[in-house]
Coordinates of all heavy atoms in Angstrom, one line a residue:
M65 N 19.0 1.6 -28.0 CA 17.8 2.4 -27.9 C 16.7 1.8 -28.7 O 15.5 2.1 -28.4 CB 18.1 3.8 -28.4 CG 19.1 4.6 -27.6 SD 18.5 5.0 -25.9 CE 17.4 6.3 -26.2
S66 N 16.9 0.9 -29.6 CA 15.9 0.4 -30.5 C 14.8 -0.4 -29.7 O 13.7 -0.6 -30.1 CB 16.4 -0.5 -31.6 OG 17.2 -1.6 -31.0
G67 N 15.2 -1.0 -28.5 CA 14.3 -1.9 -27.7 C 13.4 -1.1 -26.9 O 12.4 -1.6 -26.3
L68 N 13.6 0.2 -26.7 CA 12.8 1.1 -25.8 C 11.5 1.6 -26.6 O 11.6 1.9 -27.8 CB 13.6 2.3 -25.3 CG 14.8 1.9 -24.5 CD1 15.6 3.2 -24.1 CD2 14.4 1.2 -23.2
K69 N 10.4 1.7 -25.8 CA 9.2 2.2 -26.4 C 9.3 3.8 -26.4 O 9.9 4.4 -25.6 CB 8.0 1.8 -25.5 CG 7.7 0.4 -25.5 CD 6.5 0.1 -24.7 CE 6.1 -1.4 -24.7 NZ 4.9 -1.7 -23.9
S70 N 8.6 4.3 -27.4 CA 8.5 5.8 -27.5 C 7.3 6.1 -26.6 O 6.5 5.3 -26.2 CB 8.2 6.3 -28.9 OG 6.8 6.1 -29.2
W71 N 7.1 7.4 -26.3 CA 6.0 7.8 -25.4 C 4.7 7.5 -26.0 O 3.7 7.3 -25.3 CB 6.2 9.3 -25.0 CG 6.0 10.3 -26.2 CD1 6.9 10.8 -27.0 CD2 4.7 10.8 -26.6 NE1 6.4 11.6 -27.9 CE2 5.0 11.6 -27.7 CE3 3.4 10.7 -26.2 CZ2 4.1 12.3 -28.5 CZ3 2.4 11.4 -26.9 CH2 2.8 12.2 -28.0
R72 N 4.6 7.5 -27.3 CA 3.4 7.2 -28.0 C 2.9 5.7 -27.8 O 1.7 5.4 -27.9 CB 3.5 7.4 -29.5 CG 3.7 8.9 -29.9 CD 3.7 9.1 -31.4 NE 3.8 10.5 -31.8 CZ 5.0 11.1 -31.9 NH1 6.1 10.5 -31.7 NH2 5.0 12.4 -32.2
E73 N 3.8 4.9 -27.4 CA 3.5 3.5 -27.2 C 3.1 3.1 -25.7 O 2.7 2.0 -25.4 CB 4.6 2.6 -27.6 CG 5.0 2.7 -29.1 CD 6.3 2.0 -29.4 OE1 7.3 2.5 -29.1 OE2 6.2 0.9 -30.0
I74 N 3.4 4.1 -24.8 CA 3.1 3.9 -23.4 C 1.6 4.1 -23.1 O 1.0 5.1 -23.6 CB 4.0 4.8 -22.5 CG1 5.4 4.5 -22.8 CG2 3.6 4.7 -21.1 CD1 6.4 5.5 -22.1
P75 N 0.9 3.1 -22.4 CA -0.5 3.3 -22.2 C -0.8 4.6 -21.4 O 0.0 5.1 -20.6 CB -0.8 2.1 -21.3 CG 0.3 1.1 -21.5 CD 1.5 1.9 -21.8
I76 N -1.9 5.2 -21.7 CA -2.3 6.5 -21.1 C -2.4 6.2 -19.6 O -3.0 5.3 -19.1 CB -3.7 7.0 -21.6 CG1 -3.6 7.3 -23.1 CG2 -4.2 8.1 -20.8 CD1 -4.9 7.7 -23.7
G77 N -1.7 7.1 -18.8 CA -1.7 7.0 -17.4 C -0.7 6.0 -16.9 O -0.6 5.7 -15.7
C78 N 0.1 5.4 -17.8 CA 1.1 4.4 -17.5 C 0.5 3.2 -16.7 O 1.1 2.7 -15.8 CB 2.3 5.0 -16.7 SG 3.2 6.2 -17.7
K79 N -0.7 2.9 -17.0 CA -1.4 1.8 -16.3 C -0.7 0.5 -16.6 O -0.1 0.3 -17.6 CB -2.9 1.8 -16.7 CG -3.1 1.4 -18.1 CD -4.6 1.4 -18.4 CE -4.8 1.1 -19.9 NZ -6.2 1.3 -20.3
T80 N -0.9 -0.4 -15.7 CA -0.3 -1.7 -15.8 C -1.1 -2.6 -16.8 O -2.3 -2.7 -16.6 CB -0.2 -2.5 -14.4 OG1 0.6 -1.7 -13.6 CG2 0.4 -3.8 -14.6
T81 N -0.5 -3.1 -17.8 CA -1.2 -3.9 -18.8 C -1.0 -5.4 -18.5 O -1.7 -6.2 -19.2 CB -0.7 -3.6 -20.2 OG1 0.7 -3.7 -20.2 CG2 -1.1 -2.1 -20.5
S82 N -0.1 -5.8 -17.6 CA 0.1 -7.2 -17.3 C 0.1 -7.3 -15.8 O 1.2 -7.5 -15.2 CB 1.4 -7.7 -17.9 OG 2.5 -6.9 -17.6
P83 N -1.0 -7.3 -15.1 CA -1.1 -7.4 -13.7 C -0.4 -8.7 -13.2 O -0.6 -9.7 -13.8 CB -2.6 -7.4 -13.3 CG -3.3 -7.1 -14.6 CD -2.3 -7.1 -15.7
G84 N 0.2 -8.6 -12.1 CA 0.9 -9.8 -11.6 C 2.3 -10.0 -12.0 O 3.0 -10.8 -11.6
S85 N 2.7 -9.1 -12.9 CA 4.1 -9.2 -13.5 C 5.2 -8.9 -12.4 O 6.3 -9.3 -12.6 CB 4.3 -8.2 -14.7 OG 4.1 -6.9 -14.2
T86 N 4.8 -8.2 -11.3 CA 5.8 -7.9 -10.3 C 6.4 -9.2 -9.6 O 7.4 -9.1 -9.0 CB 5.3 -6.9 -9.3 OG1 4.1 -7.5 -8.8 CG2 5.1 -5.6 -9.9
V87 N 5.6 -10.3 -9.7 CA 6.1 -11.5 -9.2 C 7.5 -11.9 -9.8 O 8.4 -12.4 -9.2 CB 5.1 -12.6 -9.3 CG1 5.7 -14.0 -9.0 CG2 3.9 -12.3 -8.5
R88 N 7.6 -11.6 -11.1 CA 8.8 -11.9 -11.9 C 9.9 -10.9 -11.7 O 11.0 -11.2 -12.0 CB 8.4 -12.0 -13.4 CG 7.4 -13.1 -13.7 CD 7.4 -13.3 -15.2 NE 7.1 -12.1 -16.0 CZ 5.9 -11.7 -16.3 NH1 4.8 -12.4 -15.9 NH2 5.7 -10.6 -17.0
I89 N 9.6 -9.7 -11.1 CA 10.6 -8.7 -11.0 C 11.0 -8.6 -9.5 O 10.1 -8.4 -8.6 CB 10.0 -7.3 -11.5 CG1 9.6 -7.4 -12.9 CG2 11.0 -6.2 -11.3 CD1 8.7 -6.3 -13.4
K90 N 12.3 -8.7 -9.2 CA 12.7 -8.7 -7.9 C 12.9 -7.3 -7.4 O 13.9 -6.7 -7.4 CB 14.1 -9.5 -7.8 CG 13.9 -11.0 -8.1 CD 15.1 -11.8 -7.8 CE 14.8 -13.3 -8.0 NZ 15.9 -14.1 -7.7
T91 N 11.7 -6.8 -6.9 CA 11.7 -5.4 -6.5 C 12.4 -5.2 -5.2 O 12.7 -4.0 -4.8 CB 10.2 -4.9 -6.3 OG1 9.5 -5.9 -5.5 CG2 9.5 -4.8 -7.6
G92 N 12.9 -6.2 -4.5 CA 13.6 -6.1 -3.3 C 15.0 -5.5 -3.5 O 15.7 -5.0 -2.6
T93 N 15.4 -5.4 -4.8 CA 16.7 -4.8 -5.1 C 16.7 -3.3 -4.9 O 17.8 -2.7 -4.8 CB 17.2 -5.1 -6.5 OG1 16.2 -4.6 -7.4 CG2 17.3 -6.6 -6.8
W94 N 15.5 -2.7 -4.7 CA 15.4 -1.3 -4.5 C 15.7 -0.9 -3.0 O 15.9 0.2 -2.7 CB 14.0 -0.7 -4.8 CG 13.5 -1.1 -6.1 CD1 14.1 -1.6 -7.2 CD2 12.1 -0.9 -6.6 NE1 13.3 -1.7 -8.3 CE2 12.0 -1.4 -7.9 CE3 10.9 -0.5 -5.9 CZ2 10.9 -1.3 -8.6 CZ3 9.8 -0.5 -6.7 CH2 9.7 -0.9 -8.0
R95 N 15.7 -1.9 -2.2 CA 15.7 -1.7 -0.7 C 17.0 -1.2 -0.1 O 18.1 -1.6 -0.5 CB 15.4 -3.1 -0.1 CG 15.1 -3.1 1.4 CD 14.8 -4.5 1.9 NE 15.8 -5.4 1.5 CZ 15.6 -6.5 0.8 NH1 14.5 -6.8 0.3 NH2 16.7 -7.3 0.5
D96 N 16.9 -0.2 0.7 CA 18.1 0.4 1.5 C 18.2 -0.2 2.9 O 19.3 -0.4 3.4 CB 17.9 1.9 1.6 CG 18.2 2.6 0.3 OD1 18.9 2.1 -0.5 OD2 17.5 3.7 0.1
F97 N 17.0 -0.6 3.4 CA 17.0 -1.2 4.8 C 16.2 -2.5 4.7 O 15.2 -2.5 3.9 CB 16.4 -0.3 5.8 CG 17.2 0.9 6.1 CD1 17.2 2.0 5.4 CD2 18.1 0.9 7.2 CE1 18.0 3.1 5.7 CE2 18.9 1.9 7.6 CZ 18.9 3.1 6.8
R98 N 16.6 -3.5 5.4 CA 15.8 -4.8 5.4 C 15.2 -5.0 6.8 O 15.9 -4.7 7.8 CB 16.7 -6.0 5.0 CG 17.7 -6.4 6.0 CD 18.3 -7.8 5.6 NE 18.6 -7.9 4.2 CZ 18.6 -9.1 3.5 NH1 18.3 -10.2 4.1 NH2 18.9 -9.1 2.2
P99 N 14.0 -5.5 6.9 CA 13.5 -5.9 8.2 C 14.0 -7.2 8.7 O 14.0 -8.2 7.9 CB 12.0 -6.0 7.9 CG 11.9 -6.4 6.4 CD 13.1 -5.8 5.8
V100 N 14.6 -7.2 9.8 CA 15.1 -8.4 10.4 C 14.2 -8.7 11.7 O 14.0 -7.9 12.5 CB 16.6 -8.3 10.9 CG1 17.0 -9.5 11.6 CG2 17.4 -8.0 9.6
V101 N 13.6 -9.9 11.6 CA 12.6 -10.2 12.7 C 13.2 -11.2 13.7 O 13.8 -12.2 13.3 CB 11.3 -10.8 12.0 CG1 10.2 -11.1 13.1 CG2 10.8 -10.0 10.9
N102 N 13.0 -10.9 14.9 CA 13.3 -11.8 16.0 C 12.1 -12.8 16.2 O 11.2 -12.5 16.9 CB 13.6 -11.1 17.3 CG 14.0 -12.0 18.4 OD1 13.8 -13.3 18.3 ND2 14.6 -11.5 19.5
W103 N 12.1 -13.8 15.4 CA 10.9 -14.7 15.3 C 10.7 -15.4 16.7 O 9.6 -15.8 17.0 CB 11.1 -15.7 14.2 CG 11.0 -15.1 12.9 CD1 12.1 -15.1 11.9 CD2 9.9 -14.5 12.2 NE1 11.7 -14.5 10.8 CE2 10.4 -14.1 10.9 CE3 8.7 -14.1 12.6 CZ2 9.6 -13.4 10.0 CZ3 7.8 -13.5 11.7 CH2 8.3 -13.1 10.5
E104 N 11.7 -15.5 17.5 CA 11.6 -16.1 18.8 C 10.6 -15.3 19.7 O 9.9 -15.9 20.5 CB 12.9 -16.2 19.5 CG 14.0 -17.1 18.8 CD 13.7 -18.5 18.9 OE1 13.3 -19.0 19.9 OE2 13.8 -19.2 17.8
K105 N 10.6 -14.0 19.5 CA 9.8 -13.2 20.4 C 8.5 -12.7 19.7 O 7.7 -12.0 20.3 CB 10.6 -11.9 20.8 CG 11.7 -12.3 21.8 CD 12.4 -11.1 22.3 CE 13.5 -11.5 23.3 NZ 14.3 -10.4 23.8
C106 N 8.3 -13.1 18.4 CA 7.1 -12.7 17.7 C 5.9 -13.4 18.3 O 6.0 -14.6 18.6 CB 7.3 -13.1 16.2 SG 5.8 -13.1 15.2
T107 N 4.8 -12.6 18.5 CA 3.6 -13.2 19.1 C 2.6 -13.7 18.0 O 1.5 -14.1 18.4 CB 2.9 -12.1 19.9 OG1 2.5 -11.0 19.1 CG2 3.8 -11.6 21.0
K108 N 3.0 -13.6 16.8 CA 2.1 -14.0 15.6 C 0.8 -13.3 15.6 O -0.3 -13.8 15.3 CB 1.9 -15.5 15.7 CG 3.1 -16.4 15.8 CD 4.0 -16.3 14.7 CE 5.3 -17.2 14.8 NZ 6.3 -16.9 13.9
C109 N 0.8 -12.0 16.0 CA -0.4 -11.2 16.0 C -0.9 -10.8 14.5 O -2.0 -10.4 14.3 CB -0.2 -9.9 16.7 SG 0.9 -8.7 15.9
M110 N 0.0 -11.0 13.6 CA -0.3 -10.8 12.1 C -0.4 -9.3 11.7 O -0.8 -9.0 10.6 CB -1.5 -11.6 11.7 CG -1.4 -13.1 11.9 SD 0.0 -13.8 11.0 CE -0.7 -13.9 9.4
L111 N -0.2 -8.4 12.6 CA -0.3 -7.0 12.2 C 0.7 -6.6 11.1 O 0.3 -5.8 10.2 CB -0.1 -6.0 13.4 CG -1.3 -5.9 14.3 CD1 -1.0 -5.0 15.5 CD2 -2.5 -5.3 13.6
C112 N 1.9 -7.1 11.1 CA 2.8 -6.8 10.1 C 2.3 -7.3 8.7 O 2.5 -6.6 7.7 CB 4.2 -7.3 10.4 SG 4.3 -9.1 10.7
Y113 N 1.7 -8.5 8.7 CA 1.2 -9.1 7.5 C 0.1 -8.2 7.0 O 0.0 -8.0 5.8 CB 0.7 -10.5 7.9 CG 0.0 -11.2 6.7 CD1 0.7 -11.9 5.8 CD2 -1.4 -11.1 6.6 CE1 0.0 -12.5 4.7 CE2 -2.1 -11.8 5.6 CZ -1.4 -12.5 4.7 OH -2.0 -13.1 3.6
I114 N -0.8 -7.7 7.9 CA -1.9 -6.8 7.4 C -1.4 -5.5 6.9 O -1.9 -5.0 5.8 CB -2.9 -6.6 8.6 CG1 -3.5 -7.9 9.0 CG2 -3.9 -5.5 8.3 CD1 -4.3 -7.9 10.3
Y115 N -0.4 -4.9 7.5 CA 0.0 -3.6 7.1 C 1.0 -3.6 5.9 O 1.1 -2.6 5.2 CB 0.7 -2.8 8.3 CG -0.3 -2.2 9.2 CD1 -0.6 -2.8 10.4 CD2 -0.8 -1.0 8.9 CE1 -1.5 -2.2 11.3 CE2 -1.7 -0.3 9.8 CZ -2.1 -0.9 11.0 OH -2.9 -0.3 11.8
C116 N 1.7 -4.6 5.7 CA 2.8 -4.7 4.7 C 2.1 -4.4 3.3 O 1.3 -5.1 2.8 CB 3.5 -6.0 4.6 SG 4.6 -6.1 3.2
P117 N 2.5 -3.3 2.6 CA 1.9 -2.9 1.4 C 2.3 -3.9 0.2 O 1.7 -3.9 -0.8 CB 2.5 -1.5 1.1 CG 3.7 -1.4 1.9 CD 3.5 -2.3 3.1
D118 N 3.3 -4.7 0.5 CA 3.8 -5.6 -0.6 C 3.5 -7.1 -0.3 O 3.7 -7.9 -1.2 CB 5.3 -5.5 -0.8 CG 5.6 -4.1 -1.4 OD1 5.0 -3.8 -2.5 OD2 6.5 -3.4 -0.9
G119 N 2.9 -7.4 0.8 CA 2.5 -8.8 1.1 C 3.8 -9.6 1.2 O 3.8 -10.7 0.6
T120 N 4.8 -9.2 1.8 CA 6.1 -9.9 1.8 C 6.6 -10.4 3.1 O 7.7 -10.9 3.2 CB 7.2 -9.0 1.1 OG1 7.2 -7.8 1.8 CG2 6.9 -8.8 -0.3
I121 N 5.7 -10.3 4.1 CA 6.1 -10.8 5.5 C 5.1 -11.8 5.9 O 3.9 -11.6 5.8 CB 6.4 -9.7 6.5 CG1 6.9 -10.2 7.8 CG2 5.1 -8.8 6.7 CD1 7.6 -9.1 8.7
F122 N 5.5 -13.0 6.4 CA 4.6 -14.1 6.7 C 5.0 -14.7 8.1 O 5.7 -15.6 8.2 CB 4.8 -15.2 5.6 CG 4.6 -14.7 4.2 CD1 5.6 -14.3 3.4 CD2 3.3 -14.6 3.7 CE1 5.4 -13.8 2.1 CE2 3.0 -14.1 2.4 CZ 4.1 -13.7 1.6
P123 N 4.4 -14.1 9.1 CA 4.7 -14.5 10.5 C 4.4 -16.0 10.7 O 5.1 -16.6 11.5 CB 3.8 -13.6 11.3 CG 3.5 -12.4 10.5 CD 3.4 -12.9 9.1
E124 N 3.3 -16.5 10.1 CA 3.0 -17.9 10.4 C 4.1 -18.9 10.0 O 4.3 -19.9 10.6 CB 1.7 -18.3 9.6 CG 0.4 -17.7 10.3 CD -0.8 -18.1 9.5 OE1 -0.8 -18.1 8.3 OE2 -1.8 -18.4 10.2
S125 N 4.8 -18.5 9.0 CA 5.9 -19.4 8.6 C 7.3 -18.7 8.9 O 8.3 -19.2 8.4 CB 5.8 -19.7 7.1 OG 5.6 -18.5 6.3
S126 N 7.3 -17.7 9.7 CA 8.5 -17.0 10.1 C 9.4 -16.7 8.9 O 10.6 -17.0 8.8 CB 9.3 -17.8 11.1 OG 8.5 -18.1 12.2
Y127 N 8.8 -16.0 7.9 CA 9.5 -15.8 6.6 C 9.2 -14.4 6.1 O 8.1 -13.8 6.2 CB 8.9 -16.8 5.6 CG 9.4 -16.6 4.2 CD1 10.7 -16.9 3.9 CD2 8.5 -16.2 3.2 CE1 11.1 -16.7 2.5 CE2 8.9 -16.1 1.9 CZ 10.2 -16.3 1.6 OH 10.6 -16.2 0.3
V128 N 10.3 -13.8 5.6 CA 10.2 -12.5 4.8 C 10.7 -12.8 3.4 O 11.8 -13.3 3.2 CB 11.1 -11.4 5.5 CG1 11.0 -10.1 4.7 CG2 10.7 -11.1 6.9
D129 N 9.9 -12.4 2.5 CA 10.3 -12.5 1.0 C 11.2 -11.3 0.7 O 10.7 -10.3 0.2 CB 9.0 -12.5 0.2 CG 9.3 -12.5 -1.3 OD1 10.5 -12.6 -1.7 OD2 8.4 -12.5 -2.1
Y130 N 12.5 -11.5 0.8 CA 13.4 -10.4 0.6 C 13.6 -10.2 -0.9 O 14.1 -9.1 -1.3 CB 14.8 -10.7 1.2 CG 14.8 -10.6 2.7 CD1 15.0 -11.7 3.5 CD2 14.5 -9.4 3.3 CE1 15.0 -11.7 4.9 CE2 14.5 -9.3 4.7 CZ 14.8 -10.4 5.5 OH 14.8 -10.4 6.9
D131 N 13.1 -11.0 -1.8 CA 13.1 -10.7 -3.2 C 12.2 -9.6 -3.6 O 12.4 -8.9 -4.6 CB 12.7 -12.0 -4.0 CG 13.9 -13.0 -4.1 OD1 15.0 -12.6 -3.8 OD2 13.6 -14.1 -4.5
H132 N 11.1 -9.4 -2.8 CA 10.1 -8.4 -3.1 C 9.9 -7.3 -2.0 O 9.3 -6.3 -2.3 CB 8.8 -9.1 -3.4 CG 8.9 -10.0 -4.6 ND1 9.2 -11.3 -4.6 CD2 8.9 -9.7 -6.0 CE1 9.3 -11.8 -5.8 NE2 9.1 -10.9 -6.6
C133 N 10.4 -7.5 -0.8 CA 10.2 -6.5 0.3 C 11.0 -5.3 -0.2 O 12.2 -5.4 -0.5 CB 10.8 -7.1 1.6 SG 11.2 -5.8 2.8
K134 N 10.3 -4.1 -0.1 CA 11.0 -2.9 -0.5 C 11.7 -2.1 0.7 O 12.2 -1.1 0.5 CB 10.0 -2.0 -1.2 CG 9.5 -2.6 -2.5 CD 8.8 -1.5 -3.4 CE 8.0 -2.1 -4.5 NZ 6.7 -2.7 -4.0
G135 N 11.5 -2.7 1.9 CA 12.2 -2.1 3.0 C 11.6 -0.8 3.5 O 12.3 0.1 4.0
C136 N 10.3 -0.7 3.3 CA 9.6 0.6 3.7 C 9.6 0.8 5.2 O 9.5 1.9 5.7 CB 8.1 0.6 3.2 SG 7.1 -0.7 4.0
G137 N 9.7 -0.3 6.0 CA 9.7 -0.2 7.5 C 8.4 -0.1 8.2 O 8.3 0.1 9.4
I138 N 7.3 -0.2 7.4 CA 5.9 -0.1 8.0 C 5.8 -1.3 9.0 O 5.2 -1.1 10.1 CB 4.9 -0.2 6.9 CG1 4.9 1.1 6.1 CG2 3.5 -0.4 7.5 CD1 4.0 1.2 4.9
C139 N 6.2 -2.5 8.7 CA 6.1 -3.6 9.6 C 6.8 -3.3 10.9 O 6.2 -3.6 12.0 CB 6.6 -4.9 8.9 SG 8.3 -4.7 8.4
A140 N 8.0 -2.7 10.9 CA 8.7 -2.4 12.1 C 8.0 -1.4 12.9 O 7.9 -1.4 14.1 CB 10.1 -2.0 11.8
K141 N 7.4 -0.4 12.2 CA 6.7 0.7 12.9 C 5.4 0.1 13.6 O 5.1 0.6 14.7 CB 6.3 1.7 11.9 CG 5.5 2.9 12.4 CD 6.4 3.9 13.1 CE 5.6 5.1 13.5 NZ 6.4 6.0 14.4
E142 N 4.7 -0.8 12.9 CA 3.4 -1.3 13.4 C 3.5 -2.4 14.4 O 2.6 -2.7 15.2 CB 2.5 -1.7 12.3 CG 2.1 -0.5 11.4 CD 1.4 0.6 12.1 OE1 0.7 0.3 13.1 OE2 1.5 1.8 11.6
C143 N 4.7 -3.1 14.4 CA 4.8 -4.3 15.3 C 4.6 -3.9 16.8 O 5.4 -3.0 17.3 CB 6.2 -4.9 15.1 SG 6.4 -6.3 16.3
P144 N 3.6 -4.4 17.5 CA 3.3 -3.9 18.8 C 4.4 -4.3 19.9 O 4.5 -3.7 20.9 CB 2.0 -4.5 19.1 CG 1.9 -5.7 18.3 CD 2.6 -5.4 17.0
V145 N 5.1 -5.4 19.6 CA 6.1 -5.8 20.5 C 7.6 -5.5 20.1 O 8.5 -5.9 20.7 CB 6.0 -7.3 20.9 CG1 4.7 -7.5 21.7 CG2 6.0 -8.1 19.6
K146 N 7.7 -4.7 19.0 CA 8.9 -4.2 18.5 C 10.0 -5.3 18.3 O 11.1 -5.2 18.8 CB 9.5 -3.1 19.4 CG 8.5 -1.9 19.5 CD 8.2 -1.3 18.1 CE 7.2 -0.2 18.2 NZ 6.6 0.2 16.9
V147 N 9.7 -6.4 17.6 CA 10.6 -7.4 17.3 C 11.2 -7.4 15.9 O 11.9 -8.2 15.5 CB 10.0 -8.8 17.6 CG1 9.6 -9.0 19.0 CG2 8.9 -9.1 16.7
I148 N 10.9 -6.3 15.2 CA 11.4 -6.1 13.8 C 12.4 -4.9 13.8 O 12.0 -3.8 14.3 CB 10.3 -5.8 12.8 CG1 9.2 -6.9 12.8 CG2 10.9 -5.7 11.4 CD1 8.0 -6.7 11.9
T149 N 13.6 -5.1 13.4 CA 14.6 -4.1 13.3 C 14.9 -3.9 11.9 O 15.1 -4.8 11.1 CB 15.9 -4.6 14.1 OG1 15.5 -4.9 15.4 CG2 16.9 -3.5 14.1
M150 N 15.0 -2.6 11.5 CA 15.4 -2.2 10.1 C 16.9 -2.1 10.1 O 17.5 -1.2 10.8 CB 14.7 -0.9 9.7 CG 13.2 -1.0 9.6 SD 12.5 -2.4 8.6 CE 13.0 -1.9 7.0
V151 N 17.5 -2.9 9.3 CA 19.0 -3.0 9.2 C 19.4 -2.5 7.9 O 18.9 -3.0 6.8 CB 19.5 -4.4 9.5 CG1 21.0 -4.5 9.4 CG2 19.0 -4.9 10.9
E152 N 20.4 -1.6 7.8 CA 20.9 -1.0 6.5 C 21.5 -2.1 5.7 O 22.3 -3.0 6.2 CB 21.9 0.1 6.8 CG 22.2 0.8 5.5 CD 23.1 2.1 5.8 OE1 23.5 2.3 6.9 OE2 23.3 2.8 4.8
E153 N 21.1 -2.1 4.4 CA 21.7 -3.1 3.5 C 23.1 -2.7 3.2 O 23.5 -1.6 3.0 CB 20.9 -3.1 2.1 CG 19.5 -3.7 2.2 CD 19.5 -5.2 2.3 OE1 20.6 -5.8 2.4 OE2 18.4 -5.7 2.3
V154 N 24.0 -3.7 3.1 CA 25.4 -3.5 2.8 C 25.6 -4.1 1.4 O 25.4 -5.3 1.2 CB 26.3 -4.1 3.8 CG1 27.8 -3.9 3.4 CG2 26.0 -3.6 5.2
I155 N 26.1 -3.3 0.5 CA 26.3 -3.8 -0.9 C 27.7 -4.3 -1.0 O 28.6 -3.7 -0.6 CB 26.0 -2.7 -1.9 CG1 24.6 -2.2 -1.8 CG2 26.3 -3.2 -3.3 CD1 24.2 -1.0 -2.6
Ligands
SF4_237 S1 9.7 -3.5 5.2 FE1 7.8 -2.9 4.1 S2 7.7 -4.2 2.3 FE2 9.2 -5.1 3.7 S3 8.1 -6.6 4.9 FE3 8.1 -4.7 6.1 S4 6.2 -3.7 5.5 FE4 6.6 -5.3 4.0
SF4_238 S1 3.7 -7.5 14.1 FE1 5.4 -8.2 15.2 S2 4.6 -9.6 16.8 FE2 3.0 -9.3 15.2 S3 3.3 -11.0 13.8 FE3 4.5 -9.3 13.0 S4 6.6 -9.6 13.8 FE4 5.2 -10.9 15.0

């Protein structure tokens, strides 16, 4: 317990004091579903890139950053040609 901060040490509003730190934290471990893209049928319209709240899908390079994608499914919902499937993660 000695390494934990008390509530008095936490910034008011729990604001982030080290922006950009999430690059070092693999937030993708929170994910229950992963977006699987059929890149062969992707039209490169970039809508998933625009809508993704985490900036973790890159149609130009046919790449999803699974270390940081949280599996929200917004990309699959917004893809106009429905080439993204949300697949349950298996632990
Ligand atoms: S599931 Fe959510 S976080 Fe992951 S790539 Fe799609 S929009 Fe981004
Ligand atoms: S929204 Fe769908 S078609 Fe458009 S770039 Fe993303 S995966 Fe490809």
Side-chain angles (χ1 to χ4, degrees):
M65 295 294 284
S66 61
L68 298 177
K69 291 182 178 181
S70 80
W71 67 269
R72 291 184 178 85
E73 298 171 284
I74 297 173
I76 294 172
C78 297
K79 67 183 176 187
T80 300
T81 55
S82 53
S85 62
T86 52
V87 171
R88 298 192 304 270
I89 301 167
K90 293 189 176 181
T91 50
T93 58
W94 307 347
R95 190 178 52 240
D96 289 326
F97 289 84
R98 73 166 45 207
V100 175
V101 186
N102 182 343
W103 294 116
E104 299 288 317
K105 294 186 177 176
C106 168
T107 62
K108 309 297 182 192
C109 71
M110 302 299 284
L111 280 178
C112 56
Y113 175 84
I114 292 167
Y115 278 101
C116 175
D118 289 309
T120 52
I121 187 164
F122 305 93
E124 286 181 318
S125 50
S126 303
Y127 172 69
V128 178
D129 174 5
Y130 289 118
D131 281 345
H132 297 96
C133 161
K134 297 193 192 79
C136 66
I138 291 174
C139 55
K141 178 79 174 171
E142 296 299 334
C143 175
V145 290
K146 302 299 178 199
V147 297
I148 305 175
T149 305
M150 299 304 293
V151 177
E152 189 171 6
E153 291 283 5
V154 178
I155 300 173

